[in-house]
Amino acid sequence: MQALSYLRWPLLFTAVGLALAYWLGLQTTGTIGGALSFFLIGVVLAVLEISLSFDNAIVNANILETMDPKWQHRFLTWGIIIAVFGMRIIFPLAVVAVAAKIGPLSAVVLAATEPQEYARIMDESHIGISAFGGTFLMMVALSYFIDQSKEVDWIRVIESRLRRWASIRGLEIAVVMFTALLFAVSLPPHESATFLFASVCGLLTFLAVELLGHFLDDKKEAQNLAAKGGLGAFLYLEVLDASFSFDGVIGAFALTQNLFLIAIGLGIGAFYVRSMTIMLVEQKMLTQFRYLEHGAFYSVLVLSVIMFTQSLLHVPELFTGLIGASFICLSLFSSIRHNKLNQGA
């Protein structure tokens, strides 16, 4: 029953969202069959977003636990608005506006009147999106594992070595850039340049957010330390959430070209991810299950490689979701097993 209390708002938004999806289908097709088709696609999109983003909730919770309560609340309220409207609506519109060299209003008109052309432009932009998101997420994952202060290992043979190598300055940047170069040389010259440019932008974005966080954290004497430190973490989480959302947004166009239906379906999923984040923080589940965050970061690392691979070939979203879910389930099982073995200790 306690878990259901966290799902109150997501369930409400699900009912409203699916009703809107049905109405949108009725207005678009004029038939009951078309309306039901839109309804079912909305359900599939919501499930897709939840399956792809559960690791996002765990990573968010890992950072939120150390944030000031005021900024926790701001992320979980303002953040959902940015996640639903920013990433699921404004981001695809911005990509099309830049790629087609048209204004934002023209991009909205294009999405509403020529959904297939809109989807084509989004699909052509996948090289840059894959490179940016893959680079950012790989930096997130490697920064977690290549860390001397990390004390708990799940897969010891890998993690203990990575922790020892943390003394090598800039190792994670070298690994990410080497990986990006390997994929770039496999692409045609014009796509290779786009891939490398987007990859460098992803790296610079990660470093800029890290720099901002360190700068704000250094102002420990300031009276508004908590607010400033919270701002740095807030910005980091928003960029992280955006990177996690790339594959869901792009993958959604395989199901429908209707931007508004995509926003509804992925928006429903985003509400569930936020609720799972709140539950993880308030119930202190990362403390109870010591390997859960390890599984999430392994999932992030695999997702980053998949995003790079998307520049060369299509990787089914079902496969991506299953890989992430597998790591999380295995880490949860290992955590429960560890708790049982140490129950009497």
Side-chain angles (χ1 to χ4, degrees), residues 233-297:
F234 180 87
L235 293 174
Y236 178 81
L237 283 170
E238 289 304 328
V239 176
L240 185 65
D241 182 71
S243 298
F244 270 103
S245 302
F246 287 151
D247 58 334
V249 173
I250 299 300
F253 281 96
L255 296 172
T256 177
Q257 284 81 44
N258 191 297
L259 172 70
F260 309 105
L261 180 57
I262 288 172
I264 291 170
L266 298 186
I268 292 172
F271 265 88
Y272 282 94
V273 172
R274 280 298 186 281
S275 294
M276 287 188 287
T277 301
I278 296 172
M279 183 174 68
L280 288 167
V281 173
E282 292 186 351
Q283 299 299 316
K284 300 189 182 301
M285 293 183 72
L286 295 184
T287 303
Q288 296 175 39
F289 304 104
R290 61 187 273 139
Y291 301 128
L292 193 58
E293 62 180 309
H294 294 69
F297 279 101

Side-chain angles (χ1 to χ4, degrees), residues 3 14 65 71 79 144 160 170 205 207 233 244 254 261 268 272 280 292 296 302 315-316 318 323 330-331 340:
T14 299
E65 283 187 335
W71 279 96
Y144 174 78
S160 61
T205 301
L207 295 176
F244 270 103
L261 180 57
I268 292 172
Y272 282 94
L280 288 167
L292 193 58
V302 172
V315 180
L318 177 62
I323 287 289
L330 285 172
S331 64
K340 286 181 178 178

Side-chain angles (χ1 to χ4, degrees), residues 127-128 130-132 135 176-204 308 311:
I127 294 289
S130 297
F132 182 96
T135 298
V176 171
M177 286 292 93
F178 178 73
T179 305
L181 280 171
L182 286 179
F183 280 92
V185 297
S186 303
L187 293 167
H190 66 286
E191 292 184 348
S192 178
T194 301
F195 185 94
L196 284 176
F197 177 78
S199 183
V200 170
C201 287
L203 175 62
L204 289 176
F308 278 145
S311 63

Side-chain angles (χ1 to χ4, degrees), residues 19-319:
L20 282 173
Y22 183 88
W23 175 84
L24 183 64
L26 199 60
Q27 294 298 311
T28 303
T29 65
T31 65
I32 298 296
L36 288 173
S37 174
F38 270 55
F39 179 90
L40 291 174
I41 290 172
V43 172
V44 173
L45 287 172
V47 173
L48 171 70
E49 178 70 4
I50 294 169
S51 65
L52 290 175
S53 299
F54 186 67
D55 47 0
N56 188 8
I58 297 173
V59 175
N60 285 348
N62 181 50
I63 299 167
L64 278 168
E65 283 187 335
T66 62
M67 283 176 70
D68 178 82
K70 183 189 295 184
W71 279 96
Q72 285 184 0
H73 177 73
R74 287 173 178 172
F75 173 73
L76 295 169
T77 51
W78 299 353
I80 190 65
I81 297 173
I82 296 171
V84 174
F85 294 100
M87 275 309 301
R88 277 76 184 178
I89 299 178
I90 296 175
F91 165 69
L93 288 173
V95 169
V96 170
V98 172
K101 297 184 172 130
I102 58 177
L105 289 177
S106 299
V108 174
V109 173
L110 185 68
T113 60
E114 299 181 57
Q116 290 185 333
E117 176 64 13
Y118 181 92
R120 184 190 67 77
I121 296 173
M122 279 294 295
D123 185 61
E124 288 181 353
S125 305
H126 80 282
I127 294 289
I129 293 170
S130 297
F132 182 96
T135 298
F136 189 90
L137 291 179
M138 190 172 287
M139 283 297 301
V140 168
L142 292 180
S143 295
Y144 174 78
F145 290 114
I146 305 176
D147 183 0
Q148 287 179 315
S149 63
K150 181 172 167 288
E151 297 178 350
V152 177
D153 293 332
W154 177 34
I155 305 177
R156 191 178 300 276
V157 66
I158 297 173
E159 295 175 40
S160 61
R161 284 184 172 83
L162 290 175
R163 192 173 62 252
R164 288 200 299 269
W165 293 341
S167 58
I168 304 174
R169 193 172 179 180
L171 176 61
E172 58 270 35
I173 296 175
V175 171
V176 171
M177 286 292 93
F178 178 73
T179 305
L181 280 171
L182 286 179
F183 280 92
V185 297
S186 303
L187 293 167
H190 66 286
E191 292 184 348
S192 178
T194 301
F195 185 94
L196 284 176
F197 177 78
S199 183
V200 170
C201 287
L203 175 62
L204 289 176
T205 301
F206 178 86
L207 295 176
V209 175
E210 285 278 292
L211 180 64
L212 177 63
H214 283 301
F215 173 76
L216 296 176
D217 288 343
D218 284 341
K219 305 291 184 181
K220 293 187 184 294
E221 297 81 9
Q223 286 185 323
N224 56 350
L225 165 68
K228 284 190 172 182
L231 175 62
F234 180 87
L235 293 174
Y236 178 81
L237 283 170
E238 289 304 328
V239 176
L240 185 65
D241 182 71
S243 298
F244 270 103
S245 302
F246 287 151
D247 58 334
V249 173
I250 299 300
F253 281 96
L255 296 172
T256 177
Q257 284 81 44
N258 191 297
L259 172 70
F260 309 105
L261 180 57
I262 288 172
I264 291 170
L266 298 186
I268 292 172
F271 265 88
Y272 282 94
V273 172
R274 280 298 186 281
S275 294
M276 287 188 287
T277 301
I278 296 172
M279 183 174 68
L280 288 167
V281 173
E282 292 186 351
Q283 299 299 316
K284 300 189 182 301
M285 293 183 72
L286 295 184
T287 303
Q288 296 175 39
F289 304 104
R290 61 187 273 139
Y291 301 128
L292 193 58
E293 62 180 309
H294 294 69
F297 279 101
Y298 275 114
S299 179
V300 172
L301 185 60
V302 172
L303 176 58
S304 69
V305 175
I306 289 174
M307 290 199 75
F308 278 145
T309 306
Q310 294 273 23
S311 63
L312 300 172
L313 52 92
H314 175 67
V315 180
E317 285 70 31
L318 177 62
F319 175 78

